[in-house]
Amino acid sequence: MSMLSAQRIGIAIDKVRGFLDAKDGLIGGLPAEEVLDAVVLRGVPQLFGEAHGGLADDDLRVRSLLRALVAVQSSATSQVARVEEAFVLLACGIESSFLPPALEQLVDALLPLRLEKLAEEAHARRGLVLVRKDDGVGWRLEGDLDDEAGELLHTALAAAMATDPENVTDTAGRTEAREQGRDPYVRTPDGGPRRLWERRHDALVLVLRDWLGSGIAGSRGKVVPHIQVRVGAEALAGRAGAMPAVGGSGRTLPMSLVGQWLCDSAVTRFVMGIGGRVIELSHTVRTLKLHERQAKVMETGGVCQAAGCHPPPGTPLVPHHPDPYSRSGTTSFYDAVMFCERSHDDVHVGGKTLRLKDGRLLGPNGWVPQIGAA
């Protein structure tokens, strides 16, 4: 484990230290040992599985981690020591880039009331500033968004970015850069593919145009947000130590907000194993393709499955089928891999063979056999 990972664990422990080993046997008003059982024995394996792109329950890595976690939770050490040891086991089993968001979720699972308090504070601080710049060069947009506003804006921009007609030009520009031996994601003085923040800005323009052009600006009535939230049955039931809800942006959400959305939303139900792999799904609307994509996002934690690839949380993912549809005529949910745009380009356009986070090799012509692989 690196020094940076150790520092991050130390910061996480400092956040929860004052709530552990309390004389009343409670954590935030809930039975302490029940909370620790949920966080250590269920939360840590869930995040471990997500970091590896989804693992089967009988995977040796999952079983080994569970044995170690059971030993930790069964020990007679203090609650602080057990939580710290569980965090260390997780850090030693995943890539360091996955550790900060994982620790954030575990801290929120231990202290759900803290998450609610932070959400209330964000709502109290909410505000948006839009002013014309003094030099006349465009506008300045600044704001403090609460959890709901952030999730709605993130979802709207991600959808608009995926339908932006300029994506065709961006793709052509990246292809040209590859052929010239240049980095396809670095903007050159003479132009080229748009950078992420430029695409996000243009997506906001598309959203505003669509909204104004739809004629709903003058309408009244409640609009149901179509957003993605990952939340377990334990959290919905209000059980102690349940992992917090996570929005499409990758940030945790208070259950009060999730409960509000559930009142007016179509719900997709996913049943997941201990290792983070989706083993069954059902839904209220017949949109199989969308649900398959959502299931893969659930499996992988919404992160590109290419090893060494760490795009920002909420980066749109592209489903890639190792056995091309043009050849097989079928689409396999369990065989599909979720890539970010860059990794997808590396396989399709660059002709590269990528190693996935679970150790498999995938090339432009499909899976690459590995000598000695089981």
Side-chain angles (χ1 to χ4, degrees):
M1 183 175 67
S2 67
M3 288 295 296
L4 180 58
S5 294
Q7 292 174 356
R8 287 169 171 166
I9 291 176
I11 293 173
I13 292 297
D14 286 341
K15 292 180 180 178
V16 301
R17 188 186 303 275
F19 299 87
L20 301 178
D21 298 301
K23 293 182 179 180
D24 59 5
L26 302 175
I27 298 179
L30 301 172
E33 290 304 319
E34 185 178 341
V35 173
L36 290 181
D37 278 344
V39 173
V40 173
L41 301 181
R42 292 191 290 278
V44 172
Q46 173 187 322
L47 296 169
F48 177 83
E50 287 182 1
H52 288 275
L55 298 173
D57 290 358
D58 60 355
D59 187 285
L60 293 179
R61 290 166 289 186
V62 175
R63 295 170 64 181
S64 176
L65 176 64
L66 281 174
R67 286 195 297 269
L69 291 172
V70 169
V72 168
Q73 188 59 0
S74 301
S75 66
T77 57
S78 67
Q79 293 174 359
V80 171
R82 280 180 278 159
V83 169
E84 183 175 15
E85 192 168 351
F87 286 2
V88 169
L89 286 171
L90 177 63
C92 291
I94 64 177
E95 294 183 30
S96 59
S97 62
F98 286 93
L99 187 59
L103 291 175
E104 179 185 0
Q105 291 188 48
L106 292 171
V107 169
D108 287 338
L110 284 165
L111 308 174
L113 295 181
R114 171 180 172 272
L115 181 59
E116 294 287 348
K117 183 178 180 180
L118 291 175
E120 293 175 0
E121 184 176 346
H123 185 71
R125 291 183 180 181
R126 72 192 186 280
L128 198 65
V129 176
L130 178 63
V131 296
R132 185 73 172 172
K133 288 185 177 180
D134 292 338
D135 59 5
V137 183
W139 295 73
R140 178 172 61 87
L141 176 65
E142 294 181 0
D144 288 300
L145 306 183
D146 64 12
D147 290 322
E148 182 173 25
E151 289 296 326
L152 290 172
L153 182 59
H154 172 270
T155 302
L157 293 181
M161 288 170 66
T163 60
D164 190 337
E166 290 300 316
N167 285 340
V168 176
T169 303
D170 290 335
T171 301
R174 284 192 292 270
T175 300
E176 181 181 357
R178 288 181 186 277
E179 293 173 348
Q180 296 176 358
R182 297 184 287 108
D183 188 331
Y185 290 88
V186 173
R187 188 71 174 270
T188 58
D190 59 346
R194 293 170 299 168
R195 292 164 291 192
L196 177 61
W197 51 90
E198 293 172 327
R199 294 176 59 203
R200 190 176 289 127
H201 171 277
D202 296 345
L204 179 59
V205 174
L206 290 175
V207 170
L208 295 175
R209 284 177 177 173
D210 289 344
W211 185 75
L212 291 172
S214 65
I216 66 172
S219 65
R220 295 294 183 269
K222 188 174 182 179
V223 178
V224 179
H226 296 280
I227 58 177
Q228 174 187 305
V229 177
R230 288 183 287 135
V231 57
E234 292 181 335
L236 290 174
R239 294 177 182 168
M243 294 299 290
V246 179
S249 66
R251 301 298 300 272
T252 53
L253 299 171
M255 283 306 300
S256 57
L257 177 58
V258 176
Q260 174 187 332
W261 284 340
L262 282 174
C263 292
D264 298 290
S265 301
V267 178
T268 301
R269 170 179 169 266
F270 298 90
V271 179
M272 304 180 71
I274 298 175
R277 176 166 291 178
V278 176
I279 57 179
E280 188 262 330
L281 64 87
S282 60
H283 44 79
T284 57
V285 181
R286 190 174 179 82
T287 52
L288 182 58
K289 183 175 181 181
L290 173 61
H291 290 159
E292 288 177 342
R293 186 185 297 248
Q294 290 177 331
K296 281 296 179 182
V297 171
M298 294 283 289
E299 268 191 7
T300 63
V303 178
C304 177
Q305 288 184 256
C309 184
H310 312 296
T315 298
L317 300 180
V318 180
H320 173 76
H321 301 291
D323 191 10
Y325 182 84
S326 59
R327 182 172 61 197
S328 66
T330 59
T331 299
S332 170
F333 163 77
Y334 290 101
D335 206 35
V337 176
M338 300 300 287
F339 282 148
C340 67
E341 188 176 358
R342 181 193 290 254
S343 296
H344 198 236
D345 275 1
D346 283 339
V347 175
H348 271 297
V349 182
K352 294 183 179 180
T353 294
L354 302 183
R355 183 177 294 278
L356 304 188
K357 289 182 171 70
D358 62 7
R360 294 178 294 172
L361 294 177
L362 179 58
N365 296 317
W367 296 111
V368 178
Q370 301 181 64
I371 300 177

